[in-house]
Amino acid sequence: MDSDPALLRNVAIIAHVDHGKTTLVDKLMYQSGHYRQEALDKLAGGQHGLVFDSNDLERERGITIFSKNCAVEYEDLSGRRLRFNLIDTPGHADFGGEVERVLTMADGVLLVVDAFEGPMPQTRFVLQKALGLGLRPIVVINKVDRPDSRPDEVVSEVFDLLVDLGADDEALDFATVYASARQGWASEDLDNRPEDMRPLLETIVHRVPPPEVNADGPAQMLITTIDFSEFVGRIGIGRVSRGTLTNRQKVTVIDRSGTPTKQQIGQLFTFDGLDRKETQSVPAGDLCAVVGLEPINIGDTVCDLDNPEALPGVEIDVPTLHMT
Ligand code: GDP
């Protein structure tokens, strides 16, 4: 996989519960060819929640970890091979700044809104946080196949919501994509229904900026999410913000109280479809899962061994977790 940041997009997905986030991500996965047919077969039959909502695949493979991040590969119309990291945002009320933390990994957001229901309170809450971080939305009006859908009204409700939240002109000039995730298509033009999700992927390519990175400085990554695996223990997830992290690299980890400890990375992973793919290095701009640093906590900064500089965390108010 090419690690050129120009070919990378980090996109957070915001949706009120039931507006179709899971179905949409499933279809994006399917489009990118990552979706394993056997998994589809196994999980089909009315059961929903194939990607974001299910631990079944991980359990079946006998390893690790449920991740709310996944990655989709896409060859765009000009033949470039891109990778999108799709970052789930919590669908429930925010605890301890979780929403802000995961949003710091993103460079843009997909705002998925039900074409009948329109924007809902949870949409508003997370959207406000995203705007506060300078992220621009792509508005996905989903479920336009519903006979009671009212896509045009819902678009203007989203516009009003953005105005209400104080969005700047750039955010108000959002791209709108109409979709039926269930039927597996998306289009910028309601009257023109293509057969797949490609128009949404193209919109992401053009509307979400590639990560701006300082590729040459000493490595630095803020831990924004923690996963746990009974095999490898705690897994720190974040976005490499500077330099490159390498496998087995000796690093300084600075915890939230500012205490540095010297440690060594055990394994490095990037996101690859539903899986995580072990890799030798992760450059700035990409999302990364790190194994072997313990105890690793949200808000810790993983740094180059000799350049221990803590990253300012966003508002972090979670209890420090310890292994039992
Ligand atoms: P999430 O809670 O946002 O992840 O929503 P889901 O993807 O689980 O979808 C919630 C419900 O809406 C499920 O019953 C889906 O089948 C249905 N749904 C999702 N997308 C569409 C769509 O495009 N059209 C219609 N009619 N239903 C949809």
Side-chain angles (χ1 to χ4, degrees):
M1 172 53 54
D2 202 321
S3 57
D4 179 355
L7 300 175
L8 191 60
R9 299 291 183 277
N10 294 315
V11 193
I13 304 190
I14 299 174
H16 188 76
V17 62
D18 273 351
H19 281 198
K21 177 169 62 178
T22 310
T23 310
L24 190 79
V25 170
D26 286 339
K27 289 293 161 40
L28 292 175
M29 285 285 201
Y30 188 78
Q31 177 90 60
S32 87
H34 257 300
Y35 209 92
R36 295 182 303 163
Q37 190 57 46
E38 71 268 29
L40 194 63
D41 293 340
K42 180 165 175 273
L43 293 173
Q47 197 179 339
H48 99 274
L50 301 185
V51 177
F52 273 1
D53 283 352
S54 174
N55 279 320
D56 288 5
L57 290 174
E58 300 292 351
R59 280 201 211 102
E60 175 197 331
R61 293 184 309 139
I63 38 169
T64 62
I65 31 191
F66 170 70
S67 167
K68 300 209 167 172
N69 298 343
C70 54
V72 168
E73 278 179 34
Y74 173 59
E75 189 171 318
D76 76 358
L77 296 178
S78 54
R80 296 185 304 165
R81 206 158 174 72
L82 291 107
R83 185 158 49 101
F84 304 152
N85 285 314
L86 303 178
I87 302 158
D88 194 14
T89 57
H92 50 72
D94 192 29
F95 295 109
E98 187 182 359
V99 166
E100 274 110 328
R101 278 200 312 276
V102 296
L103 287 173
T104 61
M105 293 193 282
D107 295 302
V109 299
L110 284 190
L111 178 65
V112 181
V113 184
D114 182 303
F116 169 71
E117 287 196 346
M120 299 294 276
Q122 177 65 17
T123 323
R124 181 188 175 96
F125 176 79
V126 184
L127 184 58
Q128 184 173 28
K129 303 282 183 196
L131 293 171
L133 291 166
L135 301 173
R136 308 270 174 260
I138 292 169
V139 176
V140 180
I141 306 293
N142 189 37
K143 307 197 189 183
V144 294
D145 61 281
R146 280 178 68 154
D148 55 359
S149 73
R150 42 185 199 94
D152 295 335
E153 281 167 42
V154 169
V155 172
S156 44
E157 287 169 18
V158 171
F159 185 86
D160 293 345
L161 171 61
L162 285 164
V163 171
D164 202 30
L165 293 173
D168 62 18
D169 288 349
E170 214 183 310
L172 289 175
D173 189 27
F174 55 85
T176 303
V177 177
Y178 302 93
S180 169
R182 182 181 274 175
Q183 294 175 351
W185 60 266
S187 175
E188 288 195 319
D189 174 2
L190 245 189
D191 299 323
N192 172 23
R193 299 188 172 184
E195 297 194 336
D196 59 33
M197 302 301 290
R198 253 176 296 180
L200 176 55
L201 294 165
E202 280 294 318
T203 305
I204 295 172
V205 173
H206 296 296
R207 287 292 189 132
V208 176
E212 262 182 48
V213 298
N214 175 352
D216 299 324
Q220 205 181 28
M221 173 172 82
L222 180 68
I223 300 295
T224 43
T225 309
I226 293 288
D227 250 330
F228 180 78
S229 145
E230 60 182 294
F231 300 102
V232 297
R234 293 172 71 81
I235 300 159
I237 296 170
R239 168 174 165 156
V240 179
S241 57
R242 192 178 68 190
T244 297
L245 281 180
T246 51
N247 196 16
R248 312 295 301 164
Q249 183 176 349
K250 295 200 165 94
V251 291
T252 299
V253 178
I254 307 175
D255 71 13
R256 281 187 286 133
S257 69
T259 308
T261 52
K262 292 192 189 320
Q263 301 196 44
Q264 184 173 17
I265 288 174
Q267 276 174 298
L268 273 183
F269 298 84
T270 51
F271 294 91
D272 178 38
L274 287 172
D275 297 321
R276 291 171 191 183
K277 187 170 68 176
E278 190 164 4
T279 186
Q280 289 308 308
S281 65
V282 183
D286 205 351
L287 306 192
C288 173
V290 197
V291 165
L293 306 176
E294 303 226 5
I296 189 93
N297 282 296
I298 287 167
D300 292 358
T301 310
V302 179
C303 314
D304 178 82
L305 186 69
D306 301 319
N307 291 277
E309 295 162 57
L311 280 162
V314 281
E315 177 203 342
I316 290 166
D317 179 24
V318 285
T320 299
L321 301 168
H322 293 290
M323 284 186 67
T324 50

